[in-house]
């Protein structure tokens, strides 16, 4: 029988070939995003939000000229290493490198997925399924290091890449979200909680 450690691993995430990272690691300037599930939408600070950048130079120019993008693209950061810590209830995600090392991945009250310090509460609990079959993901029964997955929180709300027109997207999780498929690339298997390598 697999142990919790045997089912825990470190991996990176991508969406349509673009790596997921924290916005403040990928950008310069203030990151202002729209609340994804409120009408009317309002501005939120997105510096700690997980997302991706995939716009061309022309897209960036258009976005900044039209006031759709409040920040500039920074130097490409190292891939965001996430520790997927398994328990029978699901996975909690912890950041294992960069400026957010040791922080957890949380879904805030507005439905936005952020990196933040772990204080009174544990990071959000996620269920992982294989994109094609819909079956629960189990790293001990998975061949190969790259898999297409989907995530839902413990309330059954799906994780979605919400468009950040025209330069990328950011991760959200709420009842009305659509399911997005992410590419999970395993870096290390059988990782203990105390192993910070």
């Amino acid at each position: 029988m697999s142990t919790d450690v045997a089912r825990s691993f470190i991996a990176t995430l991508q969406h349509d070939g673009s790596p997921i990272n924290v916005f403040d690691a990928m950008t310069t300037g203030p990151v202002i995003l729209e609340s994804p599930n409120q009408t009317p939408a309002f501005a939120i600070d997105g510096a700690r939000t997980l997302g991706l950048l995939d716009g061309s130079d022309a897209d960036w120019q258009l976005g900044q000229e039209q006031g759709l993008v409040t920040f500039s693209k920074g130097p490409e950061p190292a891939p965001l290493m996430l520790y997927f810590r398994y328990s029978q209830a699901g996975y909690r995600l912890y950041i294992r490198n960069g400026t957010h090392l040791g922080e957890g991945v949380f879904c805030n009250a507005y439905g936005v997925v952020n990196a933040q310090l772990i204080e009174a509460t544990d990071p959000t609990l996620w269920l992982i399924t294989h994109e094609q079959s819909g079956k629960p993901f189990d790293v001990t029964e998975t061949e190969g290091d790259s898999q297409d997955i989907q995530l839902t929180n413990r309330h059954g709300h799906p994780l979605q890449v919400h468009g950040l027109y025209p330069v990328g997207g950011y991760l959200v999780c709420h009842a009305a979200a659509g399911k997005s498929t992410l590419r999970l690339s395993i870096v290390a298997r059988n990782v203990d909680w105390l192993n910070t390598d």
Side-chain angles (χ1 to χ4, degrees):
M1 182 175 193
S2 297
T3 64
D4 289 0
V5 171
R7 292 186 178 188
S8 298
F9 57 93
I10 294 175
T12 62
L13 293 173
Q14 292 185 351
H15 180 259
D16 288 339
S18 296
I20 303 292
N21 211 313
V22 184
F23 273 110
D24 67 4
M26 302 183 287
T27 65
T28 59
V31 180
I32 306 300
L33 305 174
E34 280 190 352
S35 59
N37 192 32
Q38 291 77 25
T39 304
F42 52 88
I44 57 174
D45 179 359
R48 291 179 158 268
T49 301
L50 275 67
L52 61 101
L53 300 174
D54 64 1
S56 67
D57 289 344
D59 292 334
W60 279 93
Q61 185 174 351
L62 173 68
Q64 290 173 330
E65 285 174 358
Q66 294 186 354
L68 301 169
V69 180
T70 59
F71 52 88
S72 298
K73 191 173 183 179
E76 187 171 332
L80 182 67
M81 299 289 173
L82 294 168
Y83 173 48
F84 288 73
R85 184 181 185 193
Y86 177 82
S87 72
Q88 290 186 349
Y91 287 90
R92 296 191 194 277
L93 278 58
Y94 300 85
I95 297 174
R96 280 289 179 93
N97 69 330
T99 57
H100 296 283
L101 174 68
E103 295 182 2
V105 176
F106 291 81
C107 185
N108 71 16
Y110 305 120
V112 177
V113 178
N114 289 330
Q116 67 184 61
L117 295 172
I118 301 163
E119 295 174 336
T121 59
D122 288 324
T124 298
L125 192 61
W126 300 96
L127 303 176
I128 306 175
T129 56
H130 289 279
E131 183 270 336
Q132 211 166 30
S133 68
K135 292 181 179 178
F137 177 84
D138 183 345
V139 72
T140 65
E141 298 175 1
T142 301
E143 293 183 17
D145 290 334
S146 291
Q147 301 288 323
D148 287 335
I149 61 156
Q150 294 177 329
L151 296 166
T152 55
N153 71 7
R154 67 184 177 96
H155 304 296
H157 301 164
L159 182 134
Q160 177 185 5
V161 178
H162 187 83
L164 177 59
Y165 179 80
V167 298
Y170 53 103
L171 302 188
V172 301
C173 182
H174 53 81
K179 282 187 179 180
S180 289
T181 297
L182 300 176
R183 172 56 61 106
L184 177 118
S185 297
I186 298 167
V187 175
R189 296 172 183 253
N190 199 38
V191 180
D192 192 2
W193 169 243
L194 296 175
N195 180 358
T196 57
D197 293 337

